């Protein structure tokens, strides 16, 4: 009994084809003349083979974006607009803000809380791209932290 030697060169098998029939480069449709392609139908067979290969594949180059990510980003932008409006209202009122400034602050806090809630829901979907969700979550959190700190500072003084 002979043990297999992994370092031995592979022996050729007699009467077995070395390649498949379709592997010849000269028989590919791009190398055949047009009349031959039309007559043999090679081009359609190549397209069918390519279609079968591609239909089951998943593109890892680009993930689809999370649908709620856009909403989170828009909510964060609206909260920032309310915050900017409230700051300008406080500056113009010289430290004695009106009721509209308080309404803008409360609206900014509510919209940023809604954005944080949507971001947490959107982050559960792992197979989507979460870029807009993370940007919106960070902006909404920044607005919320700003107003919570301002509220706590206002309560202590």
């Amino acid at each position: 009994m002979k043990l297999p030697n992994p370092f031995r060169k592979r022996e050729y098998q007699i009467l077995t084809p070395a390649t498949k029939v379709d592997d010849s480069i000269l028989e590919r449709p791009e190398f055949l003349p047009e009349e031959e392609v039309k007559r043999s139908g090679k081009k359609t067979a190549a397209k069918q083979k390519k279609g079968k290969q591609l239909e089951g594949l998943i593109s890892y180059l680009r993930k689809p974006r999370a649908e709620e990510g856009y909403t989170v980003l828009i909510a964060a932008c609206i909260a920032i607009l309310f915050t900017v409006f409230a700051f300008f209202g406080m500056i113009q009122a010289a430290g004695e803000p009106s009721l509209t400034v308080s309404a803008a602050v409360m609206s900014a806090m509510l919209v940023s809380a809604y954005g944080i809630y949507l971001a947490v829901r959107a982050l559960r979907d792992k197979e989507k791209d979460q870029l807009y969700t993370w940007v919106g979550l960070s902006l909404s959190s920044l607005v919320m932290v700003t107003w919570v700190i301002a509220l706590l500072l206002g309560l202590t003084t």
Side-chain angles (χ1 to χ4, degrees):
M1 182 169 156
K2 231 174 153 179
L3 293 174
N5 184 1
F7 302 107
R8 181 182 53 166
K9 287 187 178 181
R10 189 173 193 153
E11 296 177 9
Y12 294 104
Q13 295 178 354
I14 299 173
L15 298 176
T16 57
T19 61
K20 294 180 182 175
V21 177
D22 294 331
D23 287 347
S24 174
I25 193 167
L26 296 175
E27 292 182 8
R28 290 187 185 165
E30 54 265 15
F31 295 112
L32 291 175
E34 302 242 353
E35 303 87 33
E36 185 72 29
V37 171
K38 289 179 184 174
R39 190 172 53 219
S40 67
K42 290 272 186 182
K43 193 171 190 178
T44 57
K47 282 185 180 178
Q48 288 174 355
K49 185 177 179 183
K50 187 175 183 180
K52 286 180 184 177
Q53 289 174 348
L54 294 179
E55 79 183 16
L57 298 179
I58 299 171
S59 174
Y60 291 102
L61 298 176
R62 186 168 216 205
K63 289 182 180 178
R65 296 216 188 266
E67 291 85 13
E68 290 178 340
Y70 295 115
T71 311
V72 172
L73 187 60
I74 290 171
C77 291
I78 291 171
I80 288 174
L81 287 176
F82 278 130
T83 301
V84 168
F85 174 72
F87 277 131
F88 280 128
M90 282 191 274
I91 290 171
Q92 288 202 350
E96 296 179 9
S98 64
L99 192 59
T100 57
V101 174
S102 301
V105 169
M106 193 62 187
S107 298
M109 288 179 71
L110 288 175
V111 171
S112 66
Y114 178 67
I116 291 170
Y117 167 72
L118 279 181
V120 169
R121 275 188 43 202
L123 286 174
R124 290 183 183 164
D125 197 6
K126 297 291 183 192
E127 55 270 347
K128 301 255 179 151
D129 186 16
Q130 303 289 346
L131 176 68
Y132 294 150
T133 307
W134 282 108
V135 171
L137 178 64
S138 61
L139 291 176
S140 293
S141 300
L142 185 71
V143 168
M144 183 62 84
V145 166
T146 301
W147 287 119
V148 167
I149 289 173
L151 181 69
L152 292 177
L153 286 175
L155 289 176
T156 59
T157 59

